[in-house]
Amino acid sequence: MSDRIREKLNILADAAKYDVSCSSSGSNRKNTSKGLGDSNGAGICHTYTEDGRCVSLLKILLTNHCIFDCAFCVSRVSNDVKRAAFTVDEVVDLTMNFYRRNYIEGLFLSSGIFKNADFTMERLVRIAKKLRLENNFNGYIHLKTIPGASEELLTEAGLYADRMSINLEMPTEAGLKLLAPDKSHDDVKKPLHFIKERKIQLADEKKLIKSVPKFVPAGQSTQMVIGATPETDMEIMYSANQYYKDYDLKRVYYSGYIPISYDTRMPIIGSQPPLLRENRLYQTDWLMRFYGFEVTEILNANNPHLDVEIDPKLSWALRNMAHFPVDINTADYRMILRVPGIGVGSAKKIVQARKFGRLRSDQLRKIGIAYNRAKYFIRCADSEYQLRDPEPTLIKQNILSESNSKYLKIPINQLSLF
């Protein structure tokens, strides 16, 4: 690697670290006998797949030159940073060389916008196309959708990429206009809708035609910056819920705002992003996608903010004590999922295990539930705790006194930025 390429790599890899929406789950692109790589199971840079493997992606920008002046972005046009840009061949060569050395299992490629959307998107597509067709690369490729790019380029990108994503940036249109007046949520919705409809069209064609090309097999995702604008948790999650429903997204990512440089439009906070708030939002997202909760159950006009001390599932339970205690030996799977301390895997094990006899507390512990939390909300064959006159405040205090969560050690003032 030449000194110039190494310098570019340092600059453009560092600029790419602020984008967290690079998950790769869901792709099923198979390798061929003569190809390189396999997208099955590849994931985020230095993270773990479902089967426990640690995998990594080459995560870079094509360029950090940008025509926009978004206050929250390190690559904005008014920011005094060192600029660089890769050529198409340089990105292809880096990807292939890194893969052959077993450094990576795929590529996450984003870019600042230089000249215009089509000019930038065309180069991203050329990179993916060259990797697939000329280098026979079957590893994972995640491309960023450039807002405003033509449908022709989006169609071509979808044929070579495993996943595509486009950043919503701010949870609301008002927040986006405050910090990025040149951008609009409509510019995000159009490509999301186009790719969704194209996937549906190809799925219908597959019913009639044997060979149909893969089109964004790992789906789409988006990202919101949290804490740069004064939205409530309710506004953030209602926005995420709407995008899940309207565009069939695989993931919405919540990225705590990191102060990059001084700008009068941005809130003044310490050097740490709002990690605890970010964590609570992810927990809420998980409840919506895997636990059967409606977003209105967790956040509403009476509860517009998530509790900073306890997770959203426990918070919901304490507000709805009329649903408890749940009899572990008779309750349906959906209600067992709503018990604090019981996850999806444990709930499935409980439903299977009780077929062979009534479950006791020691058996529940062996199954793997967080019994010290769940005991306030369940009844089993030898219930140790009886809810005669449940007092939510007392239960909360007891649970917090027994908790050793690392998140509770984060200063609470990280949550309030305004």
Side-chain angles (χ1 to χ4, degrees):
M1 187 187 299
S2 68
D3 290 341
R4 179 56 182 153
I5 295 297
R6 185 177 287 104
E7 182 183 19
K8 288 183 181 182
L9 185 59
N10 288 336
I11 294 170
L12 297 175
D14 184 69
K17 69 184 180 184
Y18 299 103
D19 199 320
V20 299
S21 59
C22 57
S23 174
S24 65
S25 57
S27 179
N28 57 357
R29 190 183 300 273
K30 299 293 184 182
N31 199 350
T32 62
S33 58
K34 297 180 180 179
L36 283 174
D38 192 326
S39 70
N40 258 349
I44 303 175
C45 299
H46 304 295
T47 191
Y48 295 88
T49 61
E50 292 180 358
D51 60 3
R53 292 186 307 110
C54 181
V55 293
S56 60
L57 305 176
L58 173 60
K59 184 178 179 184
I60 55 174
L61 300 184
L62 177 62
T63 180
N64 63 346
H65 290 277
C66 192
I67 61 175
F68 292 117
D69 193 28
C70 306
F72 53 86
C73 182
V74 69
S75 298
R76 66 181 184 272
V77 67
S78 64
N79 200 19
D80 185 17
V81 295
K82 201 169 187 178
R83 306 286 175 171
F86 283 122
T87 66
V88 170
D89 288 338
E90 285 172 345
V91 176
V92 171
D93 290 342
L94 275 173
T95 303
M96 297 305 298
N97 288 330
F98 275 34
Y99 182 84
R100 289 190 178 103
R101 287 164 174 77
N102 201 30
Y103 294 162
I104 61 169
E105 294 187 59
L107 171 68
F108 175 89
L109 184 61
S110 184
S111 181
I113 301 175
F114 54 119
K115 290 193 176 180
N116 55 58
D118 278 352
F119 185 86
T120 307
M121 192 72 207
E122 188 267 339
R123 277 151 181 76
L124 298 182
V125 173
R126 279 172 57 193
I127 290 168
K129 187 175 182 179
K130 195 165 186 176
L131 282 168
R132 297 292 192 212
L133 302 184
E134 295 183 23
N135 293 271
N136 211 5
F137 180 70
N138 290 288
Y140 175 78
I141 296 179
H142 183 143
L143 290 184
K144 273 294 178 181
T145 303
I146 304 300
S150 68
E151 293 182 352
E152 291 78 8
L153 285 172
L154 294 181
T155 300
E156 193 170 12
L159 295 175
Y160 303 113
D162 293 286
R163 172 167 287 187
M164 297 177 68
S165 63
I166 182 168
N167 286 351
L168 192 61
E169 309 294 14
M170 297 298 141
T172 63
E173 185 75 30
L176 185 64
K177 288 299 181 185
L178 176 66
L179 302 181
D182 296 327
K183 291 187 175 181
S184 167
H185 278 179
D186 286 338
D187 295 333
V188 175
K189 293 175 181 178
K190 289 177 182 177
L192 286 175
H193 176 75
F194 174 78
I195 292 174
K196 176 193 173 185
E197 292 300 312
R198 183 63 177 150
K199 283 176 68 66
I200 294 173
Q201 180 185 350
L202 288 172
D204 291 338
E205 290 180 5
K206 194 171 183 179
K207 299 174 183 176
L208 304 174
I209 305 172
K210 184 176 181 180
S211 179
V212 174
K214 292 182 184 295
F215 189 80
V216 199
Q220 301 184 89
S221 61
T222 191
Q223 173 177 318
M224 303 179 189
V225 177
I226 304 304
T229 46
E231 289 92 357
T232 63
D233 295 329
M234 181 181 74
E235 291 175 301
I236 293 169
M237 295 313 304
Y238 277 33
S239 178
N241 184 61
Q242 196 63 47
Y243 275 81
Y244 274 127
K245 290 183 176 179
D246 291 348
Y247 305 108
D248 195 25
L249 297 185
K250 292 294 184 182
R251 286 291 303 273
V252 174
Y253 291 85
Y254 311 93
S255 177
Y257 164 62
I258 301 174
I260 297 168
S261 61
Y262 177 73
D263 190 294
T264 56
R265 294 170 288 178
M266 304 302 295
I268 299 174
I269 65 174
S271 59
Q272 291 293 324
L275 298 179
L276 182 51
R277 186 185 188 193
E278 180 183 302
N279 181 62
R280 295 288 182 241
L281 292 171
Y282 274 115
Q283 289 173 329
T284 304
D285 185 280
W286 212 256
L287 293 180
M288 290 161 46
R289 292 193 295 132
F290 298 109
Y291 286 78
F293 281 85
E294 293 293 333
V295 66
T296 51
E297 295 181 89
I298 307 168
L299 292 161
N300 47 56
N302 295 325
N303 299 282
H305 294 283
L306 297 169
D307 195 317
V308 299
E309 295 182 310
I310 57 177
D311 66 81
K313 188 179 180 184
L314 176 57
S315 179
W316 173 85
L318 292 175
R319 296 196 308 268
N320 294 272
M321 293 302 295
H323 295 290
F324 302 101
V326 170
D327 192 328
I328 288 296
N329 291 294
T330 60
D332 62 16
Y333 172 75
R334 175 183 171 276
M335 198 60 213
I336 293 174
L337 268 184
R338 294 188 167 224
V339 175
I342 299 181
V344 174
S346 297
K348 291 178 179 177
K349 290 178 183 178
I350 288 171
V351 173
Q352 291 297 318
R354 70 188 185 184
K355 294 178 182 178
F356 304 97
R358 291 178 59 80
L359 299 177
R360 304 183 307 274
S361 58
D362 61 318
Q363 293 171 310
L364 293 176
R365 288 187 175 94
K366 290 178 180 178
I367 284 175
I369 75 169
Y371 188 78
N372 285 342
R373 178 173 302 195
K375 66 183 180 182
Y376 300 101
F377 305 95
I378 62 174
R379 184 167 53 241
C380 54
D382 63 334
S383 294
E384 299 175 357
Y385 186 89
Q386 297 294 330
L387 284 171
R388 292 191 179 89
D389 186 18
E391 174 53 50
T393 303
L394 180 59
I395 294 174
K396 179 179 176 180
Q397 290 175 353
N398 289 343
I399 291 175
L400 287 176
S401 66
E402 298 172 353
S403 174
N404 58 357
S405 171
K406 64 181 179 180
Y407 295 106
L408 294 180
K409 298 175 184 177
I410 299 172
I412 297 300
N413 60 14
Q414 285 193 22
L415 297 175
S416 179
L417 306 183
F418 291 84

